Amino acid sequence: MIILIPAYEPDQQLLRLIHSIHTAAPQLTIVVVDDGSGPDYQPVFDGATGLGCTVIGYAGNRGKGHALKAGFGFIADRFPGRDVVCADSDGQHRVEDILRVAEQLPAAPDAMVLGTRNFSSNVPARSKLGNTATRWLFRLATGEHLSDTQTGLRGYPAAMLAWLRGVPGERYEYELNLLLEAKQAGYQIRTVGIATVYLDHNSGSHFRPLADSVRIYAPLLKFLASSLAAFVIDTAAFLVLNAVTDSVLFAVVGARGISSAANFLVNRHLVFRHGRERQATRTGARYFALVLTLLAANLALMSALDQLAVAAVPAKLLVEAALLAVSYCVQQRFLFAREQPAADRTPDLAASHAGALNPTHIPAMVPAQFPHSLSGNRGHQSTHRFRSLP
């Protein structure tokens, strides 16, 4: 079992966490990834090395996702066949919870194990709001309920490392991408309840509310932008066709056909990651069937709300919002899902060792000095660091 800790500008909480892990489970090996923290934080990482950890790193901050993938690559090369538990460096994961997640991995070789918090009290508003939003996004995209989508305490079996290194995302969006991609890749998600701990109102977090939120919600934001563009195209086409033909019916049908075709192409090529894996003609036919179904549902719902004396504008907004959510769900889960059925995919430990990956997501590592024993024993050791290849 390997404990992997990504760290950016850590404080003494990192060293306290390492000491606590070694005290509770001295047999565990700990790998720390310095995510470009800079020379001011060298003493903290030297302290981690002195406590028996293997410390790897690279110049310049690249984000939590990049740090995790660097760690996964290093572990696959240096500790083949070992399961991994990831924990944050800010002291907000209790050692007993880390060990609880680790204990679940042997029984779940095809599943990631999440340490999930309950957010019942003493939770900063920013954290509670962020988790609520991502929880609904995850449910919208997958149809599955997960109470804590932002937990950094996660366990991964060794057979999953190759896949982990190929999932896109370099910063905080990476961990949500893992959840969104897991089912289609043939992996399950299991959960273990853990304590909800926020030290000093989560002041140690490096989460950037605007930039990182955009990254996390990118799948939904791209879909909304695509839908907005289709609405603009539909309106413009309707005005042109109505002026040319003087037929409202022809203008409505023609405009919807043009805007739907444009929306299909954008969603297939830009919005959904696996859209181009499916045959265009077959997927296109299913997409237009969805358009017709949603159009019929729109008319039926508007008629029902009219019978209930709901005003036209709020009724229209309510119906459009509901059907937009349905459209996103269907396209994400069925129309543009991964082409290969999840049932045909078997997590392969040999592939993990061979590194069957997307190379664009693999930070290559090279030792700056000869690494110390991989046994994870503590003692007086020189600093061992690894730097990324240029």
Side-chain angles (χ1 to χ4, degrees):
M1 181 70 64
I2 308 294
I3 306 299
L4 175 62
I5 306 176
Y8 175 59
E9 298 183 352
D11 56 19
Q12 294 299 311
Q13 290 289 352
L14 172 60
L15 301 183
R16 284 192 280 270
L17 174 62
I18 293 169
H19 178 74
S20 298
I21 294 173
H22 275 315
T23 299
Q27 77 280 7
L28 293 179
T29 299
I30 301 176
V31 175
V32 177
V33 182
D34 173 8
D35 184 23
S37 301
D40 291 344
Y41 296 87
Q42 185 64 49
V44 178
F45 292 107
D46 288 344
T49 302
L51 289 172
C53 298
T54 298
V55 178
I56 64 175
Y58 38 78
N61 173 249
R62 303 187 188 182
K64 186 179 183 182
H66 188 95
L68 287 171
K69 285 187 275 191
F72 294 143
F74 178 81
I75 291 167
D77 291 339
R78 302 280 174 157
F79 305 95
R82 306 278 284 276
D83 296 338
V84 180
V85 174
C86 300
D88 292 339
S89 65
D90 54 9
Q92 298 192 32
H93 296 143
R94 303 186 308 173
V95 173
E96 53 264 45
D97 288 331
I98 294 173
L99 298 180
R100 287 183 66 198
V101 170
E103 290 170 356
Q104 298 297 315
L105 283 173
D110 62 344
M112 65 175 72
V113 179
L114 307 185
T116 56
R117 302 158 291 181
N118 57 24
F119 297 95
S120 59
S121 61
N122 299 322
V123 178
R126 182 182 70 177
S127 299
K128 181 177 290 188
L129 179 62
N131 189 73
T132 299
T134 53
R135 183 171 67 244
W136 280 103
L137 169 60
F138 179 76
R139 191 166 189 174
L140 186 66
T142 67
E144 298 181 7
H145 175 72
L146 193 61
S147 62
D148 185 3
T149 58
Q150 294 185 317
T151 178
L153 179 54
R154 304 182 179 204
Y156 304 104
M160 197 179 286
L161 292 184
W163 173 74
L164 290 170
R165 295 161 69 191
V167 173
E170 296 297 300
R171 296 187 178 274
Y172 286 102
E173 79 280 6
Y174 172 68
E175 290 180 306
L176 181 61
N177 288 345
L178 291 179
L179 301 181
L180 294 170
E181 296 276 344
K183 185 176 181 180
Q184 293 181 12
Y187 297 113
Q188 301 177 35
I189 300 174
R190 298 189 180 184
T191 62
V192 175
I194 63 172
T196 305
V197 180
Y198 283 99
L199 303 178
D200 192 22
H201 298 284
N202 206 25
S203 61
S205 173
H206 295 286
F207 184 84
R208 302 168 300 174
L210 182 58
D212 290 323
S213 292
V214 169
R215 288 176 177 271
I216 288 174
Y217 305 129
L220 184 57
L221 292 175
K222 288 191 293 184
F223 180 79
L224 292 176
S226 172
S227 300
L228 178 61
F231 170 77
V232 173
I233 292 173
D234 187 88
T235 302
F238 171 80
L239 294 175
V240 171
L241 291 175
N242 189 47
V244 171
T245 65
D246 197 27
S247 170
V248 173
L249 176 61
F250 183 85
V252 168
V253 174
R256 185 55 55 94
I258 294 171
S259 63
S260 297
N263 186 245
F264 169 75
L265 293 174
V266 171
N267 288 354
R268 182 171 183 265
H269 289 274
L270 300 177
V271 175
F272 296 102
R273 183 185 175 206
H274 302 293
R276 283 173 289 182
E277 296 176 5
R278 291 180 171 271
Q279 184 180 5
T281 53
R282 183 176 61 182
T283 306
R286 293 175 178 176
Y287 173 84
F288 280 99
L290 173 64
V291 170
L292 293 176
T293 301
L294 292 176
L295 181 60
N298 192 311
L299 294 173
L301 290 172
M302 287 297 296
S303 177
L305 291 176
D306 181 63
Q307 294 295 321
L308 296 174
V310 178
V313 172
K316 181 65 173 175
L317 292 176
L318 181 63
V319 169
E320 291 295 343
L323 294 182
L324 188 67
V326 171
S327 179
Y328 177 79
C329 292
V330 173
Q331 292 184 58
Q332 167 72 19
R333 299 182 209 171
F334 303 107
L335 291 186
F336 300 113
R338 184 187 293 268
E339 176 67 22
Q340 186 177 7
D344 293 340
R345 293 181 57 86
T346 301
D348 186 359
L349 180 60
S352 174
H353 294 170
L357 322 166
N358 180 346
T360 61
H361 298 300
I362 309 171
M365 310 300 291
V366 60
Q369 303 179 32
F370 189 79
H372 67 356
S373 169
L374 301 182
S375 65
N377 294 332
R378 289 171 286 173
H380 297 290
Q381 303 169 16
S382 60
T383 301
H384 306 288
R385 300 186 61 76
F386 294 75
R387 295 292 177 186
S388 62
L389 292 169

